[in-house]
Amino acid sequence: MTNILVTGAQGQIGTEIKEQIESKHIVLDESRFYFTNKQTLDITKKESVEIYVDDNSIDIIINCAAYTDVDRAEREPETTNSVNHLAVKYLAEISKAKDIQLIHISTDYVFDGSQYQPYSETDTPNPQGTYSRSKLMGEEEIERINPPSSIIIRTSWVYSHYGRNFVKTMTNLGKERSSLKVVYDQIGTPTYATDLAETILHIVGYQMLHPETKKSSVEIYHYSNEGVCSWYDYSKAIFDISTIRCGVKPIRTQDYPTPAKRPLYSVLSKEKIKKEFNIQIPFWRDSLENYLKKERENSSIVPKVAVIGTGFIAKGLVDLLANHQNFELSGVLTRTDISGRKNFPQHHLLTNSLDDLIKNSDLIVECSGDALYATETIYEIIKADIPVVTMNSEFHITTGSYFVDKGLVTEAEGDQPGVQAVLHEEALSMGFKPLVYANIKGFLNHNPSIKEMEYWGKRSNISLDMVTSFTDGTKVQIEQVLVANGLDAGLIEEGLVKLPNDSMLDGGTLLAEQAKRLGYPVSDYLLSPTLPAGVFLVVEHDREQKDSLKYYKMGEGPYYVLERTYHLCHLEIIKTIERVLSGGGVLLDNSADPRFSVATIAKRDLKPGEKIGKGIGSFDVRGVAMTIEDDLSHVPIGLISDVTLKRDIKEGERIRFDDVEIPESLALSIWKELIERLSGE
């Protein structure tokens, strides 16, 4: 029996290999497959891999795990290097020591794109970015360590039925917009992950039948579909085959700047792999047609969507999903006594079992508003490879960063941070440069009375803690910290500027000038009782667009406002559900390396022995935005739950870990791990 480990089984290629095996499309006799993801096997921890390999007597490792977000890699070089370089080194060392064959997937981006004929395996790499350098370093480790009969397969422009990719993104955008701009001067070849998975398994089977064909040293092969196209040609083909009526306008790479530099030409020569393994490779457009045909067939299946929470947002979403033609409501998780919830809509779908919810769902929406509870439930959901859409910025700014590289967890459109993220995507697609991500708040009272909050809560039909967190500013601090972390912005000052101004342009200009002075975009809000509820971005554009923008009634510049003067919370969650299920990926998260947090500030003098039941929406404390590195000992307000004071805290004073006793929880452990990483201790 040959035992084969496939790492990164949650990614596009790994998932396709798993599909080929589980569907019996490809059968490898006398073989047993072990499919792992980040949760079941962290390949960045060498000892864990060694134990797993020994326990399961692994003979072959197919490494499909990788950090593939090319642009994000520029902001997260350590994480990128850990997965794409160091983890590959560990796999090579283990393979060498235990006489295991290693098959590793690499990328066309190791080349700089300066030549205009297909790259062969012997051409000299010259990577141009963090992602591509890390992938080449992984290759070099394998070649240096030289585990016997191991293989490196470089591929390009991968797309599949799973996860986020160019085809899904363009299909979604094409349905939403009348025209799109796509670069025409980047040339390469798409790769259908199904074709690549079949080729990888063919190579494994071929070498099992013909062991004499294995090489004594590491071999590099190139694989993509046949043919050549630009991203512009690729987009046109997607729309033509899908019969999507969306125009495509060609633009140059320099007109669509991205954080990471892409090779202008990365076509791969496949002659070596075709000859040595006797394979035929489909033309890229034929494979694209097969992919889109299968997608149409799969779209006839109605996705099952579940909800966690039974509050204001959850109730509205349950009402909507129960009557939505595109989804099936599969369950609603509650911590309350179901027998006492007879008036809740779709009462028959209420459950206290997270396991049952997971078993019956394709996607789960978390909107409990509780950071600790969300952490525990999402931890279990991600282990089951189910995507999560949240309406819970409290969760994100507390523990959300932990989940960034462990599965798909995204904040939804509808709440202010999600709407700002949508405006961010739209702004970039139109060539704008965001300077300010702004919220609008109508009223602020740092220390409202219980009587006032009970009145407004009853009048608005929302909970006491929710209306209190809105009023005392905690909620907007949380929201704008999530925006700052997730969209790579900064803060002007601790606690935000909270600028009183009744004009988005005038107030936004004041904030934009601060952003220009600081040298980075900022996240903040305007305090105005007259402006509509919503959010806006202050942006700038190239000077040559000034006359056009004036004609479009955007003003004189140099700053312009992109606004959304409404946010419809649970009604808009549907758009993010559709985005995720169609492969659109994460809209907004807290980033893997957050810079900002929401600290806990006393609203009154607190005495030793006093207990605080909940921080967010409390009459004892409120939240204030801050830079994490300025005070690593601060207690994030999302962790304040059933804590006991250990010393006197004065009104306005920040609460630190030495000041309180906090019950153990998964969220607390995750926060401590983050602080240890940031402090280097």
Side-chain angles (χ1 to χ4, degrees):
M1 180 66 68
T2 301
N3 295 321
I4 303 172
L5 166 62
V6 180
T7 64
Q10 217 172 17
Q12 294 194 96
I13 300 169
T15 306
E16 288 288 358
I17 292 175
K18 187 176 183 181
E19 173 67 20
Q20 298 296 316
I21 297 300
E22 292 183 347
S23 67
K24 307 294 185 184
H25 180 74
I26 290 180
V27 178
L28 293 179
D29 293 330
E30 302 300 318
S31 298
R32 180 187 291 115
F33 280 79
Y34 296 82
F35 295 97
T36 64
N37 54 39
K38 177 67 179 295
Q39 292 71 49
T40 55
L41 180 62
D42 186 348
I43 64 170
T44 65
K45 298 177 180 177
K46 185 177 181 180
E47 184 178 352
S48 298
V49 179
E50 288 176 322
I51 293 171
Y52 192 97
V53 166
D54 287 340
D55 288 348
N56 297 287
S57 302
I58 298 300
D59 302 296
I60 301 172
I61 298 175
I62 304 175
N63 182 35
C64 301
Y67 189 105
T68 58
D69 191 326
V70 179
D71 289 324
R72 195 166 193 159
E74 297 299 319
R75 304 199 309 267
E76 300 177 357
E78 291 184 4
T79 303
T80 305
N81 187 63
S82 177
V83 177
N84 294 347
H85 170 209
L86 297 179
V88 177
K89 175 188 174 185
Y90 301 151
L91 292 175
E93 290 173 341
I94 293 168
S95 298
K96 175 77 170 180
K98 301 180 184 297
D99 197 24
I100 292 171
Q101 182 182 26
L102 174 61
I103 300 176
H104 172 69
I105 310 302
S106 191
T107 175
D108 59 323
Y109 277 26
V110 298
F111 298 112
D112 61 16
S114 60
Q115 72 179 42
Y116 287 92
Q117 61 182 11
Y119 282 96
S120 72
E121 291 81 355
T122 58
D123 284 322
T124 303
N126 185 26
Q128 297 296 298
T130 299
Y131 162 76
S132 52
R133 283 192 294 270
S134 70
K135 293 296 287 185
L136 180 60
M137 286 189 289
E139 287 187 16
E140 291 172 340
E141 293 288 2
I142 296 175
E143 292 189 279
R144 178 182 64 82
I145 296 165
N146 197 25
S149 67
S150 292
I151 291 173
I152 297 169
I153 301 176
R154 294 178 182 142
T155 189
S156 63
W157 298 17
V158 176
Y159 65 96
S160 77
H161 300 283
Y162 310 95
R164 184 178 183 180
N165 59 65
F166 183 78
V167 183
K168 289 185 178 181
T169 299
M170 296 307 293
T171 301
N172 295 335
L173 291 175
K175 292 175 181 177
E176 297 172 358
R177 303 179 187 177
S178 59
S179 67
L180 293 168
K181 296 178 180 179
V182 183
V183 295
Y184 70 85
D185 55 354
Q186 291 179 29
I187 310 298
T189 311
T191 303
Y192 185 20
T194 299
D195 296 337
L196 177 54
E198 289 178 357
T199 296
I200 293 168
L201 293 172
H202 170 80
I203 291 172
V204 172
Y206 185 88
Q207 291 189 330
M208 288 169 62
L209 290 173
H210 307 282
E212 72 280 0
T213 62
K214 290 186 177 181
K215 307 295 178 65
S216 58
S217 59
V218 176
E219 286 290 324
I220 299 177
Y221 297 94
H222 288 175
Y223 182 94
S224 68
N225 285 118
E226 295 282 23
V228 175
C229 66
S230 68
W231 292 107
Y232 169 79
D233 301 323
Y234 194 9
S235 304
K236 291 280 289 182
I238 293 168
F239 295 153
D240 290 345
I241 297 168
S242 304
T243 65
I244 294 174
R245 300 181 66 180
C246 178
V248 184
K249 299 178 181 178
I251 60 171
R252 298 170 299 172
T253 295
Q254 67 186 58
D255 297 326
Y256 187 74
T258 56
K261 185 177 180 181
R262 271 80 166 165
L264 293 180
Y265 184 92
S266 62
V267 179
L268 300 175
S269 170
K270 280 79 68 176
E271 296 307 310
K272 180 179 177 181
I273 199 169
K274 289 191 291 186
K275 181 179 179 181
E276 292 196 15
F277 296 106
N278 191 29
I279 61 172
Q280 292 184 334
I281 301 178
F283 181 60
W284 70 267
R285 189 173 174 117
D286 293 337
S287 288
L288 179 61
E289 289 181 358
N290 290 336
Y291 164 87
L292 291 170
K293 179 181 178 182
K294 187 174 180 181
E295 283 290 293
R296 286 192 296 270
E297 293 170 352
N298 291 339
S299 66
S300 62
I301 301 172
V302 178
K304 295 180 179 180
V305 178
V307 176
I308 296 177
T310 51
F312 177 81
I313 299 296
K315 180 181 180 297
L317 179 61
V318 166
D319 278 332
L320 185 62
L321 286 170
N323 300 293
H324 203 289
Q325 62 181 1
N326 295 338
F327 307 106
E328 176 186 344
L329 179 64
S330 59
V332 182
L333 183 67
T334 179
R335 289 175 284 178
T336 61
D337 181 1
I338 294 175
S339 64
R341 304 299 302 271
K342 299 294 185 182
N343 293 329
F344 190 83
Q346 306 301 311
H347 176 268
H348 65 288
L349 291 177
L350 285 173
T351 180
N352 295 131
S353 171
L354 178 60
D355 289 340
D356 288 347
L357 201 77
I358 290 172
K359 287 177 186 176
N360 298 314
S361 304
D362 299 309
L363 179 146
I364 296 177
V365 180
E366 206 295 325
C367 47
S368 68
D370 186 325
L372 274 62
Y373 179 60
T375 301
E376 293 168 356
T377 54
I378 291 173
Y379 182 84
E380 296 301 325
I381 295 166
I382 290 302
K383 286 200 295 186
D385 294 342
I386 294 175
V388 180
V389 171
T390 65
M391 183 67 76
N392 194 339
S393 51
E394 296 85 348
F395 151 77
H396 282 282
I397 61 102
T398 308
T399 59
S401 295
Y402 172 81
F403 297 93
V404 166
D405 58 352
K406 295 176 174 59
L408 197 157
V409 182
T410 180
E411 183 72 345
E413 186 173 354
D415 212 359
Q416 285 95 330
V419 177
Q420 289 175 76
V422 170
L423 283 177
H424 166 80
E425 289 186 345
E426 292 176 355
L428 293 184
S429 70
M430 293 186 285
F432 287 105
K433 178 184 177 183
L435 293 173
V436 179
Y437 300 97
N439 212 322
I440 300 172
K441 185 170 177 56
F443 181 72
L444 179 65
N445 179 357
H446 283 323
N447 204 356
S449 70
I450 294 178
K451 186 176 181 180
E452 288 174 314
M453 294 299 93
E454 287 176 339
Y455 169 79
W456 286 108
K458 185 176 181 179
R459 178 169 174 172
S460 305
N461 195 30
I462 59 177
S463 66
L464 179 62
D465 58 353
M466 185 181 292
V467 72
T468 304
S469 70
F470 291 163
T471 303
D472 70 9
T474 298
K475 183 68 173 175
V476 73
Q477 299 281 326
I478 290 171
E479 289 170 345
Q480 294 312 110
V481 160
L482 173 55
V483 169
N485 285 329
L487 300 182
D488 198 23
L491 305 182
I492 296 173
E493 61 185 45
E494 182 176 304
L496 307 181
V497 176
K498 44 186 176 291
L499 183 70
N501 200 291
D502 293 332
S503 166
M504 282 182 270
L505 180 58
D506 294 344
T509 294
L510 295 175
L511 296 174
E513 288 172 348
Q514 291 271 42
K516 295 288 281 187
R517 179 180 60 81
L518 293 168
Y520 51 75
V522 299
S523 174
D524 217 293
Y525 71 95
L526 292 187
L527 186 59
S528 169
T530 62
L531 288 175
V535 300
F536 65 96
L537 268 59
V538 180
V539 297
E540 58 182 352
H541 212 302
D542 295 334
R543 183 171 296 179
E544 55 264 33
Q545 297 292 343
K546 181 177 181 179
D547 290 342
S548 298
L549 289 168
K550 183 178 180 180
Y551 175 76
Y552 295 143
K553 296 181 171 55
M554 291 293 290
E556 296 287 342
Y559 305 129
Y560 307 94
V561 172
L562 303 179
E563 64 184 66
R564 269 278 298 274
T565 54
Y566 64 89
H567 59 100
L568 305 180
C569 293
H570 73 272
L571 296 176
E572 293 187 83
I573 293 177
I574 293 293
K575 293 190 281 184
T576 309
I577 293 172
E578 291 174 335
R579 173 194 179 103
V580 171
L581 290 175
S582 61
V586 171
L587 172 64
L588 178 67
D589 60 34
N590 202 51
S591 88
D593 295 299
R595 296 166 52 208
F596 307 106
S597 175
V598 179
T600 308
I601 304 295
K603 285 184 174 180
R604 60 178 180 82
D605 291 347
L606 301 171
K607 300 296 182 182
E610 287 194 66
K611 292 185 179 292
I612 303 176
K614 187 177 181 181
I616 299 171
S618 165
F619 292 93
D620 301 314
V621 295
R622 60 184 176 88
V624 171
M626 60 163 293
T627 301
I628 295 174
E629 290 187 347
D630 287 348
D631 185 359
L632 296 176
S633 65
H634 80 279
V635 180
I637 195 162
L639 290 181
I640 297 290
S641 178
D642 296 325
V643 305
T644 303
L645 272 296
K646 294 164 60 177
R647 73 171 185 86
D648 287 318
I649 303 291
K650 298 297 184 183
E651 179 181 347
E653 189 176 352
R654 181 183 297 163
I655 296 179
R656 296 175 173 83
F657 277 98
D658 288 343
D659 302 330
V660 290
E661 293 178 359
I662 302 181
E664 291 297 324
S665 66
L666 176 61
L668 179 60
S669 298
I670 288 172
W671 181 262
K672 287 179 178 178
E673 181 181 308
L674 171 66
I675 294 303
E676 287 173 0
R677 178 160 58 85
L678 291 176
S679 65
E681 296 179 359

